[in-house]
Amino acid sequence: MSKRTADDPELQSALKSGARPQKALVDGEEMEFEDEFEDEFDSDEEIMEAGVDGRPDEEREAEEREGAMDVDQDTFMIGRNKLNNGEILAPDLSTYEMLHNLEPTWPCLSLDIIKDNLGDERKSYPATVYAVAGTQAARGRERENQLLVMKLSGLSRMDRGQEDDSDDDDTDDEENADPILETKTIPTGSCTNRVRAHQVPAASGTNSTTLTAAMTESGQVLIHNISSELASFDTPGMATSSQHAQPLGTVRAHAKTEGYAVDWSPVIAEGKLLTGDVNGRIFTTTIGEGGQVTTDKEPFTGHKGTVEELQWSPVERSVFASAGNDGTVRIWDLRSKSRKSMLNVPISSTDVNVLSWSHQNAHLLASGADDGQWAVWDLRQWKPNSSKGSLDPTPVASFDFHKEQITSIEWHPTDDSIVAVAAGDNTLSLWDLAVELDDDESRNTAGVRDVPPQLLFVHYMDQVKEAHWHPQIPGCIMATGGSGFGVFKTISV
């Protein structure tokens, strides 16, 4: 049987010109070229209608919608649902690895987690957390206000039933232990607006020292050494004297002017403190040898109103940031003789309530404002464009998911893309800034609108005021609000 060769001049000419080759003769008979689409489509228009996978676009898109994520339409979503009178929200316990709620005598506006010597990267249960908080007693009972030094132990994992039959009964009993709250109290006589803890590393042959700074409603900043209170939790029979409850030192430079901003330097081991008040003044206090407390007499000034937040640089000894109700964030240097800010950055038309400086990427600063918006800024872009040092930057990320004021914001201690945000809408949200979904992937949200793909989790907590990641228990958060304390870990982080 004779065949047409590939180098046939007539065939090559037809292929180069894009034309269909003429019918070939095989043993004197015409040979048809087979068209794989001939039986399927009658025209080019029908092929275009069918799309890339041979089916009409409408059919394929309907199937994609059926396979989209399943969201319970009764799930509470910010901006979509509202609670009626008498209604409360119940958590979906399957989304938590750990969840515990505790209610003190008085609610607390602020807390801080204290690093312990139980080890880093802890994942075993039951968990233990040490913390300090300051109370907000009812009007007329201000003298009952206290600092609460706390040990929370027996924090068990959520009961998953018989998911793992390999665990023995002893392990199950231990992991499902009852939670225990132990407290030591230190009287303050005034509501604590903000409290922060700092640990002075141990010298040779001594234990580390834990200091707290409490900015009170009376305008004084009380500095306490709570090392004995913490040690008493783990030393049977150990008692703390009433004399030890006296402040190590008191910052009176604010002259009875209330304030909310407090921060300890993370790189000055002996202890250096920033405090700010509603008159826009920022003072520095140094802890010297033997615990001597010294406050600079001359403040840093520049904010036109309240200093809402202060954050030391995570890597530089002399640099810090501040936020104010004038809508600005300012960058300062302790070495400045003028005591004025190096940069003045207007970032909001409302109060800037909170800041968080990333400890993983020192050029990233997160902010939260009174209008519910929170943003991430790249400090490498903050270069003055005028002799006055002011500029108008653009955030690298910005979200208006929350509908009330942002009350707390904090970067994850070891993951530079995870952020926790608390707001006045009674929610605490977790975010992953590394998530980048294209329009097609993020379009199908089962009818739930305005949900950014970076949102990982929303935790409901009544009147939540402040939240912190535990530095040694990955993913664990402790928060405080009108209903007390919450300690939880989600399956998302």
Side-chain angles (χ1 to χ4, degrees), residues 105-107 135-145:
T105 303
W106 297 112
T135 65
Q136 182 189 28
R139 292 295 179 187
R141 303 178 68 175
E142 287 85 358
R143 292 189 175 276
E144 297 182 24
N145 278 300

Side-chain angles (χ1 to χ4, degrees), residues 236-254:
M238 179 180 177
T240 56
S241 65
S242 57
Q243 181 179 0
H244 193 267
Q246 296 300 315
L248 180 68
T250 302
V251 178
R252 296 184 171 87
H254 296 281

Side-chain angles (χ1 to χ4, degrees), residues 105-148:
T105 303
W106 297 112
C108 298
L109 294 176
S110 180
L111 65 81
D112 204 5
I113 296 175
I114 298 171
K115 193 172 182 179
D116 54 52
N117 59 1
L118 300 179
D120 296 335
E121 298 293 319
R122 304 201 300 267
K123 297 181 181 179
S124 61
Y125 289 91
T128 298
V129 175
Y130 296 83
V132 61
T135 65
Q136 182 189 28
R139 292 295 179 187
R141 303 178 68 175
E142 287 85 358
R143 292 189 175 276
E144 297 182 24
N145 278 300
Q146 302 170 322
L147 277 184
L148 301 178

Side-chain angles (χ1 to χ4, degrees), residues 131-422:
V132 61
T135 65
Q136 182 189 28
R139 292 295 179 187
R141 303 178 68 175
E142 287 85 358
R143 292 189 175 276
E144 297 182 24
N145 278 300
Q146 302 170 322
L147 277 184
L148 301 178
V149 184
M150 299 175 285
K151 177 184 179 182
L152 296 78
S153 57
L155 302 177
S156 59
R157 186 199 303 263
M158 298 299 297
D159 184 9
R160 302 296 183 191
Q162 304 299 321
E163 289 185 358
D164 188 357
D165 296 334
S166 63
D167 291 343
D168 55 41
D169 293 338
D170 292 339
T171 302
D172 290 342
D173 291 342
E174 183 179 349
E175 289 194 354
N176 294 324
D178 292 332
I180 300 172
L181 171 62
E182 301 173 75
T183 62
K184 299 292 181 180
T185 60
I186 299 174
T188 60
S190 181
C191 170
T192 296
N193 292 335
R194 188 72 61 86
V195 63
R196 291 291 181 264
H198 173 71
Q199 287 183 313
V200 181
S204 178
T206 63
N207 296 322
S208 62
T209 300
T210 302
L211 304 177
T212 61
M215 187 78 177
T216 65
E217 198 174 43
S218 66
Q220 295 183 341
V221 182
L222 306 177
I223 300 174
H224 288 90
N225 181 347
I226 63 169
S227 303
S228 294
E229 283 77 9
L230 292 170
S232 67
F233 292 136
D234 304 310
T235 308
M238 179 180 177
T240 56
S241 65
S242 57
Q243 181 179 0
H244 193 267
Q246 296 300 315
L248 180 68
T250 302
V251 178
R252 296 184 171 87
H254 296 281
K256 298 183 179 180
T257 301
E258 186 177 13
Y260 305 96
V262 179
D263 197 35
W264 291 96
S265 170
V267 296
I268 301 178
E270 57 271 22
K272 198 167 189 70
L273 184 70
L274 291 168
T275 54
D277 61 35
V278 299
N279 287 340
R281 298 175 300 171
I282 302 169
F283 288 93
T284 59
T285 298
T286 303
I287 310 300
E289 294 184 5
Q292 183 179 359
V293 178
T294 305
T295 302
D296 291 350
K297 294 182 180 180
E298 186 178 355
F300 292 85
T301 58
H303 280 290
K304 299 176 182 178
T306 302
V307 179
E308 299 282 2
E309 179 73 282
L310 290 164
Q311 282 275 289
W312 283 98
S313 164
V315 294
E316 299 187 60
R317 295 174 62 91
S318 63
V319 176
F320 66 92
S322 66
N325 68 353
D326 56 6
T328 68
V329 170
R330 296 170 182 259
I331 306 296
W332 312 73
D333 194 322
L334 294 180
R335 297 166 294 187
S336 171
K337 295 181 180 180
S338 68
R339 298 271 164 159
K340 302 297 182 181
S341 59
M342 297 185 298
L343 292 176
N344 169 22
V345 187
I347 68 169
S348 176
S349 59
T350 62
D351 300 5
V352 183
N353 298 325
V354 287
L355 295 175
S356 180
W357 208 320
S358 171
H359 283 245
Q360 298 300 310
N361 282 312
H363 59 272
L364 294 180
L365 186 71
S367 65
D370 220 42
D371 58 3
Q373 187 172 66
W374 71 275
V376 176
W377 308 88
D378 188 339
L379 299 182
R380 296 172 299 185
Q381 300 177 0
W382 286 16
K383 298 177 181 179
N385 56 12
S386 73
S387 59
K388 295 182 180 180
S390 62
L391 43 77
D392 185 16
T394 301
V396 296
S398 180
F399 302 92
D400 58 1
F401 177 75
H402 289 284
K403 305 307 177 185
E404 300 291 342
Q405 72 275 13
I406 305 299
T407 60
S408 180
I409 190 168
E410 186 169 278
W411 291 94
H412 190 283
T414 58
D415 192 324
D416 60 1
S417 67
I418 305 294
V419 181
V421 180

